[in-house]
């Protein structure tokens, strides 16, 4: 119920702003900013990932708060798990890596973007599966694809058994669509 009220307030605000001549696009860009764009564009270009997908994930993960820590210990803008961060940092050659470096936007976006590219490769560039794996684990996604309860054809998910991951996928894909349309 609370969510519906928030949506109604946002729709009403956009309507009022539009009536009074304030550009809706400007307003939406305030809600969906491109903070840390220098790092996002650099690493998305380096690893071949759509920058709008990175912005969508950062928006969903931390709402652009580099000091964010989840209840599960994920850190920073892209909510990188320390173990994943350590593995990726070693793999891509970040010297003297420490978990605290995940609070630094440059390291966090570098590691998070590389890891997302790794997942995209693993799941044949399927954004939905890569996003699911980023949140729910690649091993879980691989298992779900083999399970007829969750995948009819072994290449798409019809159902995600983790409600948190299911909500996360929907949120990221919604934000991805918004970023793509807003910043053409």
């Amino acid at each position: 119920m609370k969510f519906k009220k928030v949506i109604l307030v946002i729709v009403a605000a956009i309507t009022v702003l539009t009536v009074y001549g304030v550009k809706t696009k400007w307003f939406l860009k305030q809600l969906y900013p491109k903070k840390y764009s220098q790092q996002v564009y650099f690493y998305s270009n380096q690893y071949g990932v759509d920058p709008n997908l990175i912005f969508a994930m950062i928006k969903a993960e931390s709402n652009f708060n580099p000091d964010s820590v989840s209840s599960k210990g994920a850190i920073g803008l892209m909510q990188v798990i320390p173990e994943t961060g350590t593995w990726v940092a070693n793999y891509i050659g970040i010297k003297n890596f420490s978990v605290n470096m995940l609070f630094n936007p440059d390291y966090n976006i570098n590691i998070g973007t590389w890891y997302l590219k790794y997942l995209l490769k693993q799941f044949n560039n399927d954004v939905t599966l890569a996003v699911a794996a980023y949140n729910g684990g690649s091993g879980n996604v691989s298992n779900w694809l083999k399970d007829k309860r969750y995948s009819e054809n072994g290449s798409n998910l019809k159902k995600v058994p983790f409600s948190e991951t299911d909500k996360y996928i929907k949120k990221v894909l919604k934000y991805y669509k918004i970023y793509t349309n807003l910043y053409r």
Side-chain angles (χ1 to χ4, degrees), residues 90-146:
N90 287 332
Y91 190 87
I92 64 176
I94 296 174
K95 303 289 183 207
N96 303 315
F97 177 79
S98 73
V99 170
N100 281 339
M101 292 167 78
L102 292 172
F103 289 106
N104 178 304
D106 191 70
Y107 287 109
N108 192 283
I109 294 169
N110 182 4
I111 289 168
T113 304
W114 183 92
Y115 185 57
L116 179 60
K117 179 61 177 187
Y118 171 84
L119 294 171
L120 285 164
K121 282 182 186 176
Q122 183 178 351
F123 293 103
N124 299 315
N125 289 315
D126 186 306
V127 171
T128 301
L129 295 179
V131 168
Y134 194 93
N135 180 268
S138 61
N140 286 323
V141 172
S142 294
N143 289 335
W144 299 338
L145 290 170
K146 295 173 193 169

Side-chain angles (χ1 to χ4, degrees), residues 16-34:
V16 168
L17 291 170
T18 302
V19 167
Y20 288 100
V22 176
K23 300 283 186 193
T24 305
K25 197 170 190 177
W26 175 88
F27 179 74
L28 288 173
K29 285 182 177 181
Q30 306 315 300
L31 293 174
Y32 300 94
K34 284 186 146 185

Side-chain angles (χ1 to χ4, degrees), residues 32 56 59-60 171-180:
Y32 300 94
K59 172 81 175 156
K171 182 189 280 189
V172 170
L173 294 179
K174 177 181 83 172
Y175 290 166
Y176 185 30
K177 185 175 182 179
I178 290 168
Y179 273 98
T180 300

Side-chain angles (χ1 to χ4, degrees), residues 70 72-76 78-88 97 99 102 108 111 115 134-135:
S70 76
K72 295 182 179 173
I75 297 171
M78 295 188 73
Q79 291 292 278
V80 177
I81 302 254
E83 294 79 14
T84 301
T86 301
W87 174 71
V88 172
F97 177 79
V99 170
L102 292 172
N108 192 283
I111 289 168
Y115 185 57
Y134 194 93
N135 180 268

